[in-house]
């Protein structure tokens, strides 16, 4: 056992909502130039404590230290981007839309907002939303995943040093009861969610039914196309990192690797690199992949590997029954490669959320794009090529994020974390200008000045 946190209830949601509503009335009136000073301090606070936070991520989620630290770098990147809010929040002005009449649009904060965060990036994902919400003048309620409550508990504890006005930032712990409480509470105006598509659909529907603005990031089945002219060494590195990073527990994990045309050399290279990837405890030197989050997840992933075999797939690398010395009770699955699963089978359309590469071979780029576009998810799609087909792919692939010779990488803070089809429910994504728009509401003012009025009438 690492620690104990409260098992929250609707009463805790009510207490947080009341505190946030009181905090909002003061926070929204604070000049934006002053609000942003708290974010500058927050950036420094996170930078000074990044190693400690990263170790907490490793201990509660099973990541490697490098992965934990990398996600906090992305969290800090979003705080830094939100520090530009004095410019990002500016409105629009038109003079003399009619004689003596001016019209302008301003942005005002939405109110009390909340985040329902997942287990896979306990430090980064809340920061897709939190710094923008605060910068725009909203108060905030954070509910971390009950599987990894310690990282953001530590971060919120550090934020006490900022001396924010009381009620501006709040935290509740818990499961389904707390989620429903957030979705139903009338004071809460906006909900941000990241998780599976089935839960994202539920959060979006229930939040919208209760009159809330909702952004709900769902699951994914991210493909990578490898063309014959791709550089084998570079492609192997980015594909293996993309598939097995964070033990495959990422909504941006590469899942289906599609070779087009001749594939023997890249297949051999992928297999050898996969076998060499060291799995173990994330604080040990040389470890590149940790365990999956729980025994339930381990059993689910093992079951999906068996399903792929039953559908006709072939195991090129078998990561089941992994034994890690000193951690025999851990939820370890070593990197796995399944080859030639049927494209119309169940596994081809299922998000595995584990360290499993599905390697399939298709003859033409057109067929590969058609297969990608036939899927229900649209989070990200990638291609490795010298350039001949890259523009065609960028234009035709039905996904909100596109990678070209870069593996599956998350957008930087200045850009929205996009997603299409069943990978996203809502209109405005996290990060960047989308986040500013989500956490503000527009007000249009039409003015006629008194002197003009008197002269005309």
């Amino acid at each position: 056992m690492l620690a104990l946190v409260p098992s929250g209830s609707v009463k805790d949601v009510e207490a947080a909502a009341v505190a946030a509503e009181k905090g909002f009335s003061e926070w929204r009136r604070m000049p934006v130039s002053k609000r942003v000073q708290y974010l500058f301090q927050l950036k420094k606070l996170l930078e000074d404590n990044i190693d400690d936070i990263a170790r907490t991520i490793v201990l509660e989620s099973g990541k490697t230290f490098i992965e934990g630290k990398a996600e906090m770098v992305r969290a800090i990147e979003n705080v830094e981007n939100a520090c530009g809010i004095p410019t990002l929040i500016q409105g629009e002005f038109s003079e003399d839309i009619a004689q003596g009449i001016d019209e302008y649009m301003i942005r005002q904060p939405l109110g009390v907002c909340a985040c329902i965060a997942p287990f896979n990036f306990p430090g980064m994902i809340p920061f897709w939303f939190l710094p923008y919400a605060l910068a725009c003048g909203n108060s905030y309620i954070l509910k971390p995943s009950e599987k990894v409550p310690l990282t953001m508990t530590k971060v919120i504890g550090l934020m006490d040093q900022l001396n924010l006005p009381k009620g501006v930032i709040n935290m509740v712990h818990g499961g389904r009861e707390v989620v429903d409480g957030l979705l139903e509470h009338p004071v809460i105006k906006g909900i941000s969610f990241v998780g599976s598509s089935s839960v994202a659909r539920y959060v979006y529907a229930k939040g919208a039914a209760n009159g809330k603005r909702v952004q709900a990031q769902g699951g994914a089945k991210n493909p990578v196309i490898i063309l014959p002219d791709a550089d084998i060494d570079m492609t192997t590195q980015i594909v293996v990192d993309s598939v097995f990073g964070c033990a495959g527990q990422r909504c941006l994990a590469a899942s289906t690797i599609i070779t087009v045309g001749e594939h023997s050399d890249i297949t051999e290279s992928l297999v050898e690199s996969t076998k060499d990837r060291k799995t173990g405890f994330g604080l040990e030197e040389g470890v590149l992949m940790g365990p999956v989050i729980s025994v339930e997840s381990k059993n689910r992933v093992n079951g999906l590997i068996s399903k792929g075999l039953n559908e006709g797939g072939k195991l090129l690398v078998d990561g089941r029954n992994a034994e890690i010395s000193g951690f025999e009770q851990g939820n370890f699955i070593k990197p796995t490669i399944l080859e030639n699963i049927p494209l119309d089978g169940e596994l081809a359309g299922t998000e595995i959320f584990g360290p499993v590469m599905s390697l399939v071979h298709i003859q033409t780029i057109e067929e590969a794009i058609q297969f990608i576009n036939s899927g229900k998810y649209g989070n990200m799609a990638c291609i490795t090529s010298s350039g001949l087909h890259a523009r065609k792919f960028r234009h035709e692939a039905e996904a909100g994020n596109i990678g070209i010779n870069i593996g599956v990488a998350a957008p930087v803070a200045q850009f929205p974390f996009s997603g299409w089809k069943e990978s996203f429910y809502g209109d405005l994504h996290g990060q960047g200008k989308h986040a500013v728009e989500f956490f503000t509401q527009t007000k249009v003012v039409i003015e006629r000045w008194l002197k003009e009025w008197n002269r005309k009438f």
Side-chain angles (χ1 to χ4, degrees), residues 109-365:
L110 198 59
V112 179
C113 298
C115 173
I116 303 167
F119 75 82
N120 57 332
F121 285 89
M124 179 186 73
I125 287 178
F127 283 89
W128 288 353
F129 315 109
L130 185 152
Y132 302 98
L134 296 187
C136 291
N138 303 278
S139 55
Y140 213 61
I141 302 172
L142 173 65
K143 193 208 87 67
S145 168
E146 60 274 24
K147 296 178 181 178
V148 288
L150 301 184
T151 298
M152 286 309 296
T153 298
K154 175 167 285 187
V155 170
I156 297 300
L158 289 170
M159 289 179 68
D160 285 343
Q161 299 177 37
L162 302 179
N163 294 315
L164 286 161
K166 188 175 181 180
V168 170
I169 185 73
N170 310 271
M171 175 179 283
V172 292
H173 294 286
R176 174 71 177 265
E177 180 184 357
V178 171
V179 169
D180 284 342
L182 294 170
L183 295 173
E184 293 170 357
H185 202 287
V187 164
I188 298 171
K189 305 302 181 184
I191 295 284
S192 303
F193 170 84
V194 178
S196 68
S197 288
S198 60
V199 181
R201 191 181 305 114
Y202 172 82
V203 168
Y204 180 73
K206 187 158 189 170
N210 283 283
K212 304 187 189 310
R213 188 177 291 184
V214 182
Q215 47 186 184
Q217 186 82 33
K221 187 76 173 178
N222 304 305
V224 177
I225 294 176
I226 303 174
L227 292 175
D229 61 353
D231 179 273
I232 290 181
D233 291 338
M234 178 199 73
T235 298
T236 298
Q237 184 65 51
I238 63 177
V239 166
V240 170
D241 286 346
S242 295
V243 174
F244 302 122
C246 303
Q249 298 173 122
R250 302 187 298 171
C251 59
L252 283 182
S255 181
T256 304
I257 308 303
I258 305 166
T259 67
V260 174
E262 172 57 38
H263 59 80
S264 58
D265 288 346
I266 187 63
T267 297
E268 180 181 354
S269 183
L270 290 172
V271 167
E272 291 306 311
S273 182
T274 297
K275 288 179 177 178
D276 289 341
R277 199 169 186 89
K278 185 178 180 181
T279 302
F281 177 44
L283 291 179
E284 290 187 351
E285 188 174 351
V287 169
L288 295 177
M289 195 181 85
V292 295
I293 190 66
S294 66
V295 66
E296 293 80 11
S297 179
K298 177 181 177 180
N299 292 337
R300 176 181 175 274
V301 173
N302 282 334
L304 288 172
I305 294 172
S306 296
K307 180 180 287 293
L309 293 174
N310 292 336
E311 290 183 338
K314 175 185 176 182
L315 269 176
L316 299 184
V317 183
D318 189 353
R320 297 172 297 175
N321 304 313
E323 294 185 5
I324 307 299
S325 178
F327 301 95
E328 287 77 11
Q329 301 303 311
N331 303 311
F332 290 98
I333 303 173
K334 287 187 176 181
T336 298
I337 298 180
L338 265 172
E339 186 182 34
N340 287 333
I341 61 170
L343 299 184
D344 58 353
E346 185 177 346
L347 189 63
T350 300
E351 182 180 32
I352 297 176
F353 223 64
V356 181
M357 178 191 303
S358 298
L359 180 62
V360 300
H361 310 296
I362 295 178
Q363 289 303 308
T364 69
I365 181 68

Side-chain angles (χ1 to χ4, degrees), residues 433-446:
K433 292 182 180 178
H434 274 218
V436 175
E437 291 183 38
F438 182 85
F439 290 114
T440 58
Q441 50 194 344
T442 57
K443 179 178 286 185
V444 175
V445 181
I446 306 167

